[in-house]
Amino acid sequence: MNSKTRLDKLLGSLGYCSRKEVAELLRDGIITHTENLPLKSDTKVSHEHILFEGEPLDPPVGIVILMHKPVGYVCSHDDGEGRLVYDLLPERWRRRDPKISTVGRLDKDTSGLLLLTDDGALLHRLTSPKHHVPKCYEATLDRPLKGDEEAIFASGTLMLNGEKSPCLPAKLTVIDDTHARLEITEGRYHQVRRMFAAVGNHVVSLHRSSFGDLTLGDLKAGGYRVIKYF
Ligand code: URA
């Protein structure tokens, strides 16, 4: 990011401190300039020129994070809901403004690739029903597949309980009797579990292996990396 921002605004937006605290942190030498230029709270600075405790700043606003969500974590900002996916990120990132949010949600019991961002326009684009990003899920099933599921899911006629329109065509790849990969382009509530329920089966475990062209690579459960999305 080459644009210049007031120092206090920059540090406040990244969650380092309140805007008022900047003057004191400057006096204490906690905030410095890479080229030792003098700084005041209202100095216009470039993100890459500022050090906090001698370290480069966290990624600027517009951050995109690829996380390997573990089972047991919830895609919510509400502390009352148990362990949150945000708990897996640095504590300071919770205080960023704009806030980091998940791109859609994975259930508490689902693991796999989860994107998070503070970019509202990107979030809107990727979660809009018009934007059909293909997402792959690896499902373990309670009962053996019957053989007609691939055609039913591909038909574009499958109705889910309580919904007014059928699911868009989805691609099922059978791995064995009780394991399958399902590629969907929508993001309805509990969609994969409900699709299997609609054909008389039950998902025992679910893992998202890809989102568009993105995959987890060797990222371990609970890990994340900051990515360039475009
Ligand atoms: N479908 C589900 O059932 N659960 C998820 O978390 C994502 C898709």
Side-chain angles (χ1 to χ4, degrees):
M1 190 170 71
N2 292 320
S3 61
K4 291 196 168 190
T5 316
R6 274 177 66 123
L7 180 63
D8 53 1
K9 183 160 185 264
L10 174 68
L11 292 168
S13 71
L14 296 179
Y16 281 89
C17 53
S18 71
R19 290 171 70 160
K20 281 192 184 144
E21 283 163 346
V22 170
E24 191 180 330
L25 293 169
L26 281 169
R27 264 197 310 276
D28 294 347
I30 307 278
I31 302 164
T32 51
H33 190 280
T34 49
E35 285 154 26
N36 292 321
L37 296 186
L39 291 169
K40 289 197 293 175
S41 295
D42 62 357
T43 309
K44 294 256 182 140
V45 294
S46 296
H47 175 277
E48 67 272 21
H49 285 148
I50 302 304
L51 302 173
F52 193 93
E53 293 178 329
E55 299 290 330
L57 296 183
D58 295 338
V61 168
I63 190 171
V64 181
I65 300 156
L66 187 156
M67 177 183 281
H68 184 163
K69 177 193 172 298
V71 165
Y73 283 76
V74 182
C75 294
S76 163
H77 284 288
D78 180 356
D79 281 324
E81 291 197 40
R83 288 182 294 177
L84 310 181
V85 290
Y86 305 102
D87 297 339
L88 298 165
L89 299 174
E91 202 257 325
R92 177 163 63 227
W93 293 13
R94 288 253 199 155
R95 296 191 295 275
R96 287 173 66 113
D97 179 18
K99 199 150 105 165
I100 295 173
S101 297
T102 62
V103 176
R105 288 175 176 224
L106 289 177
D107 310 334
K108 183 173 181 179
D109 295 332
T110 300
S111 60
L113 199 162
L114 181 67
L115 285 183
L116 302 99
T117 186
D118 61 0
D119 181 338
L122 179 66
L123 187 67
H124 180 75
R125 190 153 62 76
L126 292 178
T127 52
S128 144
K130 287 190 208 126
H131 197 85
H132 297 143
V133 190
K135 289 155 281 224
C136 274
Y137 292 88
E138 317 292 325
T140 303
L141 304 164
D142 192 27
R143 292 183 267 283
L145 288 156
K146 291 181 245 170
D148 56 358
E149 296 87 349
E150 190 180 335
I152 296 173
F153 289 168
S155 70
T157 60
L158 181 70
M159 289 298 293
L160 299 180
N161 241 339
E163 302 252 349
K164 291 200 180 73
S165 59
C167 292
L168 289 176
K171 188 174 183 312
L172 184 77
T173 307
V174 175
I175 293 164
D176 64 29
D177 265 11
T178 54
H179 293 91
R181 176 170 308 128
L182 181 60
E183 184 184 296
I184 60 173
T185 58
E186 302 172 280
R188 302 185 193 208
Y189 179 68
H190 287 189
Q191 181 163 346
V192 174
R193 294 176 196 273
R194 289 165 71 213
M195 286 176 73
F196 280 105
V199 294
N201 214 321
H202 174 73
V203 172
V204 181
S205 72
L206 191 61
H207 175 82
R208 180 156 73 189
S209 51
S210 68
F211 184 106
D213 291 338
L214 300 171
T215 56
L216 287 168
D218 55 8
L219 196 60
K220 300 273 180 303
Y224 66 88
R225 56 174 168 262
V226 174
I227 60 163
K228 294 242 175 295
Y229 187 68
F230 300 100

